[in-house]
Coordinates of all heavy atoms in Angstrom, one line a residue:
Chain W
Y32 N 179.4 162.3 207.5 CA 180.1 161.1 207.7 C 181.5 161.4 208.3 O 182.2 162.3 207.8 CB 180.3 160.4 206.3 CG 181.2 159.1 206.3 CD1 180.8 158.0 207.1 CD2 182.4 159.1 205.6 CE1 181.6 156.9 207.1 CE2 183.2 157.9 205.6 CZ 182.8 156.9 206.3 OH 183.6 155.7 206.3
Y36 N 190.9 157.3 210.8 CA 191.9 156.5 210.1 C 193.1 156.3 211.0 O 193.5 157.2 211.7 CB 192.3 157.1 208.7 CG 191.3 156.8 207.7 CD1 190.1 157.5 207.6 CD2 191.5 155.8 206.7 CE1 189.2 157.3 206.6 CE2 190.6 155.5 205.7 CZ 189.4 156.3 205.6 OH 188.5 156.0 204.6
Q38 N 197.2 155.1 210.9 CA 198.3 154.9 210.0 C 199.6 154.5 210.8 O 200.0 155.2 211.7 CB 198.6 156.2 209.2 CG 199.7 156.1 208.2 CD 200.0 157.4 207.4 OE1 199.8 158.5 208.0 NE2 200.5 157.3 206.2
G41 N 205.2 153.9 207.3 CA 205.5 153.1 206.1 C 204.2 152.5 205.4 O 204.4 151.8 204.4
K42 N 203.1 152.8 206.0 CA 201.8 152.3 205.5 C 200.9 153.4 205.1 O 201.0 154.5 205.6 CB 201.2 151.3 206.5 CG 202.1 150.2 207.0 CD 202.3 149.2 205.9 CE 203.0 148.0 206.5 NZ 203.3 147.0 205.4
G43 N 199.9 153.0 204.3 CA 198.8 154.0 204.0 C 197.8 154.0 205.2 O 197.7 153.0 206.0
P44 N 197.0 155.0 205.3 CA 196.0 155.1 206.4 C 195.0 154.0 206.1 O 194.7 153.6 205.0 CB 195.4 156.4 206.2 CG 196.4 157.2 205.4 CD 197.1 156.3 204.6
L46 N 191.0 152.6 207.5 CA 189.8 153.0 208.3 C 189.8 152.2 209.6 O 189.9 151.0 209.6 CB 188.6 152.7 207.5 CG 187.2 153.0 208.2 CD1 187.1 154.5 208.4 CD2 186.1 152.4 207.4
R51 N 178.0 158.2 211.8 CA 177.0 159.2 211.1 C 176.5 160.1 212.2 O 176.4 159.7 213.4 CB 175.9 158.4 210.5 CG 176.3 157.6 209.3 CD 176.4 158.4 208.1 NE 176.5 157.6 206.8 CZ 176.9 158.1 205.7 NH1 177.2 159.4 205.6 NH2 177.0 157.4 204.6
F89 N 194.1 160.0 212.2 CA 193.5 161.1 211.5 C 192.0 161.0 211.6 O 191.3 160.0 211.4 CB 193.8 161.0 210.0 CG 195.3 161.2 209.7 CD1 196.1 160.1 209.5 CD2 195.8 162.5 209.5 CE1 197.4 160.3 209.2 CE2 197.1 162.7 209.2 CZ 198.0 161.5 209.1
G95 N 179.9 163.5 201.2 CA 179.5 162.5 200.2 C 180.4 162.4 199.0 O 180.3 161.5 198.2
Y96 N 181.4 163.3 198.9 CA 182.2 163.2 197.7 C 183.7 163.2 198.0 O 184.5 162.6 197.2 CB 181.9 164.3 196.7 CG 182.2 165.7 197.1 CD1 183.4 166.3 196.8 CD2 181.3 166.4 197.9 CE1 183.7 167.6 197.2 CE2 181.6 167.7 198.3 CZ 182.8 168.3 197.9 OH 183.0 169.6 198.3
A97 N 184.2 163.7 199.0 CA 185.6 163.7 199.3 C 185.8 163.8 200.8 O 185.0 164.5 201.5 CB 186.3 164.8 198.6
L98 N 186.9 163.2 201.3 CA 187.2 163.3 202.7 C 188.0 164.5 203.0 O 189.0 164.8 202.3 CB 187.9 162.1 203.2 CG 187.1 160.8 203.3 CD1 188.0 159.6 203.6 CD2 186.0 160.9 204.4
F100 N 190.5 165.8 205.8 CA 191.2 165.2 207.0 C 191.7 166.3 207.9 O 192.1 167.4 207.5 CB 192.5 164.4 206.5 CG 192.1 163.1 205.9 CD1 191.8 163.0 204.5 CD2 192.1 162.0 206.6 CE1 191.5 161.7 204.0 CE2 191.8 160.7 206.1 CZ 191.5 160.6 204.8
G101 N 191.8 165.9 209.2 CA 192.5 166.7 210.2 C 194.0 166.5 210.0 O 194.4 165.6 209.2
K102 N 194.8 167.2 210.7 CA 196.3 167.2 210.5 C 196.9 166.0 211.2 O 198.1 165.7 210.9 CB 196.9 168.5 211.0 CG 196.5 169.7 210.2 CD 197.3 170.9 210.7 CE 197.0 172.1 209.8 NZ 197.7 173.3 210.2
Chain E
R31 N 185.4 155.0 192.4 CA 186.0 156.3 192.8 C 187.5 156.1 193.1 O 187.9 155.2 193.8 CB 185.3 156.8 194.0 CG 183.8 157.1 193.7 CD 183.1 157.7 195.0 NE 181.8 158.1 194.6 CZ 181.0 158.8 195.5 NH1 181.4 159.1 196.7 NH2 179.8 159.2 195.1
Y33 N 191.2 158.5 194.2 CA 191.7 159.8 194.7 C 193.2 159.8 194.8 O 193.9 158.8 194.9 CB 191.2 159.9 196.2 CG 189.7 159.7 196.4 CD1 189.2 158.4 196.5 CD2 188.8 160.7 196.5 CE1 187.9 158.1 196.7 CE2 187.5 160.5 196.7 CZ 187.0 159.2 196.8 OH 185.7 158.9 197.0
Y35 N 196.1 161.9 197.1 CA 196.4 162.8 198.3 C 197.9 163.0 198.4 O 198.7 162.1 198.0 CB 195.9 162.1 199.6 CG 194.5 162.0 199.8 CD1 193.8 160.8 199.3 CD2 193.7 163.0 200.4 CE1 192.4 160.7 199.5 CE2 192.4 162.8 200.6 CZ 191.7 161.7 200.2 OH 190.4 161.5 200.4
Q37 N 200.7 163.8 201.6 CA 200.9 163.9 203.0 C 202.2 164.6 203.3 O 203.3 164.1 202.9 CB 200.8 162.5 203.7 CG 200.9 162.5 205.2 CD 200.8 161.2 205.8 OE1 201.0 160.1 205.2 NE2 200.4 161.1 207.1
G40 N 202.8 167.1 209.7 CA 202.1 168.2 210.4 C 201.0 168.8 209.6 O 200.3 169.6 210.2
G42 N 198.8 166.6 207.6 CA 197.8 165.6 207.3 C 197.8 165.3 205.9 O 198.7 165.4 205.1
L43 N 196.6 164.8 205.4 CA 196.4 164.4 204.1 C 195.6 165.5 203.3 O 194.5 165.9 203.8 CB 195.7 163.1 204.0 CG 196.5 161.9 204.5 CD1 195.6 161.0 205.4 CD2 197.0 161.1 203.3
L45 N 193.8 166.6 199.6 CA 193.3 166.0 198.4 C 193.8 166.8 197.2 O 193.7 168.0 197.1 CB 191.8 166.0 198.4 CG 191.0 165.4 197.2 CD1 191.3 163.9 197.1 CD2 189.5 165.6 197.4
Y48 N 190.3 164.0 192.4 CA 189.5 162.8 192.6 C 188.7 162.5 191.4 O 188.4 163.5 190.6 CB 188.7 162.9 193.9 CG 187.6 164.0 193.9 CD1 186.3 163.8 193.6 CD2 188.0 165.3 194.3 CE1 185.4 164.8 193.7 CE2 187.1 166.3 194.3 CZ 185.8 166.1 194.0 OH 184.9 167.1 194.1
F50 N 185.3 160.2 190.0 CA 184.2 159.3 190.3 C 183.9 158.2 189.3 O 183.2 157.3 189.5 CB 182.9 160.1 190.6 CG 183.0 160.8 192.0 CD1 181.9 161.6 192.3 CD2 184.0 160.6 192.8 CE1 181.9 162.2 193.6 CE2 184.0 161.2 194.1 CZ 183.0 162.0 194.5
F90 N 199.6 159.4 198.3 CA 198.8 158.3 198.4 C 197.6 158.3 197.4 O 197.0 159.3 197.2 CB 198.1 158.2 199.8 CG 199.1 157.8 200.9 CD1 199.6 158.8 201.7 CD2 199.5 156.5 201.1 CE1 200.5 158.5 202.7 CE2 200.4 156.2 202.1 CZ 200.9 157.2 202.9
G99 N 177.7 153.3 200.3 CA 177.0 154.3 201.1 C 177.8 155.0 202.2 O 177.3 155.9 202.8
L100 N 179.0 154.6 202.4 CA 179.8 155.2 203.5 C 181.0 155.9 203.0 O 181.7 156.5 203.8 CB 180.1 154.2 204.6 CG 179.0 153.6 205.4 CD1 179.5 152.5 206.3 CD2 178.3 154.7 206.2
T102 N 183.9 154.7 202.4 CA 185.1 154.2 203.0 C 186.2 154.2 202.0 O 186.0 153.7 200.9 CB 184.9 152.8 203.5 OG1 183.9 152.8 204.5 CG2 186.2 152.3 204.1
Q103 N 187.3 154.8 202.3 CA 188.4 154.9 201.3 C 189.5 153.9 201.7 O 189.9 153.8 202.9 CB 189.0 156.3 201.2 CG 187.9 157.3 200.6 CD 188.5 158.6 200.3 OE1 189.7 158.8 200.2 NE2 187.6 159.6 200.0
F105 N 193.4 152.9 201.1 CA 194.6 153.6 200.6 C 195.7 152.6 200.1 O 195.8 151.5 200.7 CB 195.2 154.4 201.8 CG 194.5 155.7 202.0 CD1 193.3 155.7 202.7 CD2 194.9 156.9 201.5 CE1 192.6 156.9 202.9 CE2 194.3 158.1 201.8 CZ 193.1 158.1 202.5
G106 N 196.4 153.0 199.2 CA 197.6 152.3 198.7 C 198.8 152.5 199.7 O 198.6 153.3 200.7

Side-chain angles (χ1 to χ4, degrees):
Chain W
Y32 174 61
Y36 280 77
Q38 184 182 28
K42 304 290 187 182
L46 180 68
R51 292 279 191 192
F89 294 96
Y96 64 95
L98 287 173
F100 284 89
K102 292 186 177 183
Chain E
R31 299 180 173 187
Y33 311 80
Y35 293 90
Q37 183 176 20
L43 291 137
L45 183 63
Y48 61 102
F50 283 176
F90 287 102
L100 292 178
T102 298
Q103 294 191 15
F105 284 79

